[in-house]
Amino acid sequence: MAISFEGRVAIVTGAGGGLGRAYALELARRGARVVVNDLGGARDGSGQSDAAAKVVEEIKSAGGTAIANGASVTDFDQVEAMVAEAREAFGAVHILINNAGILRDKSFAKMDMADFRVVVDVHLNGSANCTKAVWELMREQAYGRILMTASSTGLYGNFGQANYGAAKLGLAGLAKTLSLEGTKYNVRVNTIAPTAATRMTEDIFPPDLLALFKPELVAPAVLFLVSEDAPTNAIVGAGAGVVQAAYVTLTRGVALPADDRTPEAVARMWDQITDRTGEIVPQSGAEQAMTSLQRLQGQ
């Protein structure tokens, strides 16, 4: 059965180009009314442009419905005004895709803390601002689909991206907690870790790979994760037409002997502690304590 977004209203941040544009275009093509949010700044967050308006024109030219919005995701008042504008124009907000982001890459030794803070502010705090602005609305209407944008850098690390990685893994943690808090209200929260050739990555990808990693090839996974039948609490990698699932796992671990709970015992048993046989995928933080109790009881 085809996935349709008829009757749905979606906000996509950072939708003036790259991945956000691809999401906005496909949502509109499938019937959603879309708020295209983008300041239109450069990759480092500086400046402004009419990028959002241009995407809106693309959507309208193809027969879709959209409005442009230039709110900064780091300004909660502006974000609240954006949500109010969406409700005035379209009556509701059903979908939020937190995609806005900037890059200020340097090795941690050379990184100014101002550059650390601003990247965390845009990615992590900006996503929290947008989510908070729609959270009560989605709870009240008993429907919401929210997508956070993480990254392989956040999940696995990348040289020269300490600020970006910290923000991106923070988003995965935020999504996990909100997926639990939103369950009874039919608000589902997931995380996408995209790999795409955009202006954010154009100087990282080899030229011969740029065509393989088109932003449009991430959109199928994203639209599924904000659809009516979406899962919740999923971390999904997508790029070049490949879709993967990522997990935060926990090994069974070892109960240190009561008479030898020492660093030396940890060192001696390290291979057993890190043995992945029988590892689990906890569905909440409480499971770590529960598994510890089970190991103490010899289970």
Side-chain angles (χ1 to χ4, degrees), residues 68-273:
N69 179 275
S72 168
V73 297
T74 61
D75 187 318
F76 187 63
D77 289 340
Q78 290 186 29
V79 169
E80 284 197 308
M82 172 178 67
V83 173
E85 182 182 6
R87 295 183 70 180
E88 182 177 351
F90 302 134
V93 177
H94 304 102
I95 295 164
L96 169 65
I97 299 178
N98 287 304
N99 174 72
I102 64 172
L103 282 181
R104 295 192 183 181
D105 291 356
K106 286 183 181 178
S107 68
F108 194 60
K110 297 178 181 179
M111 184 178 294
D112 188 296
M113 285 309 296
D115 284 339
F116 191 98
R117 284 189 291 270
V118 72
V119 168
V120 171
D121 198 26
V122 172
H123 288 272
L124 180 55
N125 295 335
S127 296
N129 282 338
C130 293
T131 302
K132 181 66 174 176
V134 300
W135 191 252
E136 282 306 314
L137 169 62
M138 289 183 173
R139 282 170 31 119
E140 289 170 4
Q141 67 193 17
Y143 189 95
R145 300 292 182 265
I146 298 172
L147 189 65
M148 306 294 182
T149 302
S151 165
S152 58
T153 296
L155 299 177
Y156 312 114
N158 262 331
F159 187 92
Q161 292 192 309
N163 48 5
Y164 186 72
K168 290 305 193 182
L169 190 54
L171 283 164
L174 175 61
K176 284 188 166 293
T177 292
L178 293 182
S179 71
L180 298 173
E181 295 185 9
T183 295
K184 67 184 282 188
Y185 302 99
N186 191 26
V187 178
R188 302 180 190 180
V189 187
N190 294 293
T191 302
I192 188 77
T195 303
T198 67
R199 65 175 184 166
M200 297 274 277
T201 59
E202 61 189 1
D203 53 0
I204 299 173
F205 274 89
D208 58 332
L209 292 183
L210 290 174
L212 292 178
F213 286 89
K214 295 186 294 185
E216 292 79 7
L217 297 178
V218 177
V222 166
L223 266 67
F224 169 68
L225 291 173
V226 296
S227 67
E228 185 169 350
D229 294 327
T232 195
N233 194 26
I235 302 174
V236 174
V242 176
V243 182
Q244 301 162 297
Y247 297 97
V248 179
T249 67
L250 188 69
T251 68
R252 294 187 72 239
V254 170
L256 301 177
D259 60 352
D260 192 16
R261 291 172 176 168
T262 64
E264 291 78 12
V266 174
R268 189 173 63 252
M269 299 180 181
W270 186 247
D271 286 347
Q272 294 169 261
I273 292 167

